Amino acid sequence: MPEKPPHPDVFDEDFARRRDAARKRLDAIDPARQHGGALADPKRREWFEAVYALADDDAAGVPWGNLAAHPLLQDWLARDRGLSGASALDVGCGLGDNAAALAGWGAKVTAFDFVPRAVEWARCRFADKGVTFVAADLFAAPADWREAFDFVHETYTLQALPSELLPAARQALADFVKPGGRLLVISRARDEAQKIDGPPWPLARRDVEAIANCGLVVEQLEDVLAPSTAVRHWRALFRKRHGAGA
Ligand SMILES: C[S@@+](CC[C@H](N)C(=O)[O-])C[C@H]1O[C@@H](n2cnc3c(N)ncnc32)[C@H](O)[C@@H]1O
């Protein structure tokens, strides 16, 4: 089921038509959907760059560009999660709405994406939010981000990666977290045996639980329906052990 942007002012029939057209256009050039394409561009970087370039400043052209923070993040943040003054990192920030929401709850936010156009777009949209938007690759992040953040958040980046990259991605996420700090992951969920026709590739429970092998402890693993779409998601909170090392 396509995810409906929750932003009532923007999500009209014309937005939906442009979004559908963009999805078709982008699926047709996605290397993960072409024979041998995944080998040529394992991180799908060229495809992500094409997404933002072809969108031509229209969020409808970015399949996840819903112009609002993810409802499962908003709902989590609304329960007084003590982010005020915390250093936070938003991974694969896209158009920046999740990063801006973290900043809205008082966190000092750094947000990154490996597509420079996404970073510029997010920076332009949220110039007044105090978020530091940076172009960086999850698999080659700045060395001084190692164990530098009280709170690390990612929505929909793990599920956008081919399964071969998941172990390295989990380790990279864990490495950003300070000892005693937290990592929040939000992704679509599937049963282990469920066939998937990705990307995106919804995660199985064990894909998420494996984050605990990177020196973190699962604090909460929720199997929840996204409020706007009733699509099944994981919302998983981890805490880094003291002395786990990065
Ligand atoms: C599915 S989108 C989700 C964007 C955003 N988190 C959201 O929920 O709206 C995944 C984002 O991760 C970025 N991304 C994918 N692989 C990345 C990597 N290796 N390093 C940094 N960003 C990456 C993509 O460019 C894209 O913007």
Side-chain angles (χ1 to χ4, degrees):
M1 189 195 298
E3 238 168 89
K4 245 189 201 180
H7 199 301
D9 302 335
V10 179
F11 187 71
D12 57 14
E13 274 182 26
D14 191 48
F15 188 99
R17 186 191 51 71
R18 301 196 312 278
R19 171 66 53 88
D20 282 349
R23 278 213 172 95
K24 287 195 184 94
R25 189 171 67 214
L26 292 166
D27 281 354
I29 60 167
D30 193 328
R33 292 181 183 272
Q34 288 157 23
H35 187 65
L39 290 175
D41 186 10
K43 293 195 242 175
R44 304 172 66 222
R45 187 180 194 131
E46 285 178 22
W47 181 79
F48 279 112
E49 281 172 355
V51 170
Y52 293 102
L54 292 172
D56 200 20
D57 295 337
D58 178 11
V62 179
W64 46 88
N66 292 341
L67 302 176
H70 194 286
L72 289 174
L73 174 63
Q74 292 191 44
D75 165 63
W76 190 87
L77 289 170
R79 288 186 243 151
D80 185 23
R81 301 294 181 166
L83 283 187
S84 186
S87 55
L89 182 68
D90 184 41
V91 176
C93 64
L95 298 185
D97 297 271
N98 293 330
L102 296 174
W105 286 88
K108 292 173 280 174
V109 184
T110 301
F112 75 97
D113 201 287
F114 71 171
V115 178
R117 176 66 198 117
V119 171
E120 280 164 27
W121 194 340
R123 200 182 276 143
C124 188
R125 291 185 63 218
F126 297 111
D128 57 341
K129 296 284 182 199
V131 176
T132 304
F133 288 103
V134 180
D137 183 345
L138 173 63
F139 301 106
D144 60 355
W145 288 2
R146 205 172 177 84
E147 296 203 323
F149 297 94
D150 299 307
F151 183 77
V152 175
H153 159 263
E154 92 81 13
T155 289
Y156 289 178
T157 303
L158 287 180
Q159 69 175 38
L161 299 174
S163 59
E164 305 78 58
L165 291 182
L166 286 182
R170 287 189 285 255
Q171 189 63 56
L173 293 176
D175 286 351
F176 295 137
V177 186
K178 272 186 191 171
R182 296 177 298 165
L183 166 66
L184 181 71
V185 171
I186 296 172
S187 96
R188 289 187 180 207
R190 69 172 166 89
D191 286 329
E192 198 70 50
Q194 196 180 320
K195 283 213 160 198
I196 39 174
D197 175 27
W201 297 280
L203 302 181
R205 177 180 285 270
R206 70 170 175 178
D207 296 325
V208 179
E209 285 177 337
I211 293 172
N213 300 333
C214 306
L216 291 96
V217 176
V218 183
E219 287 213 327
Q220 198 171 30
L221 177 49
E222 298 171 272
D223 186 345
V224 280
L225 300 179
S228 47
T229 58
V231 173
R232 188 176 164 211
H233 283 68
W234 303 117
R235 182 169 54 188
L237 182 68
F238 300 85
R239 190 175 290 276
K240 189 159 197 174
R241 290 198 303 264
H242 287 274

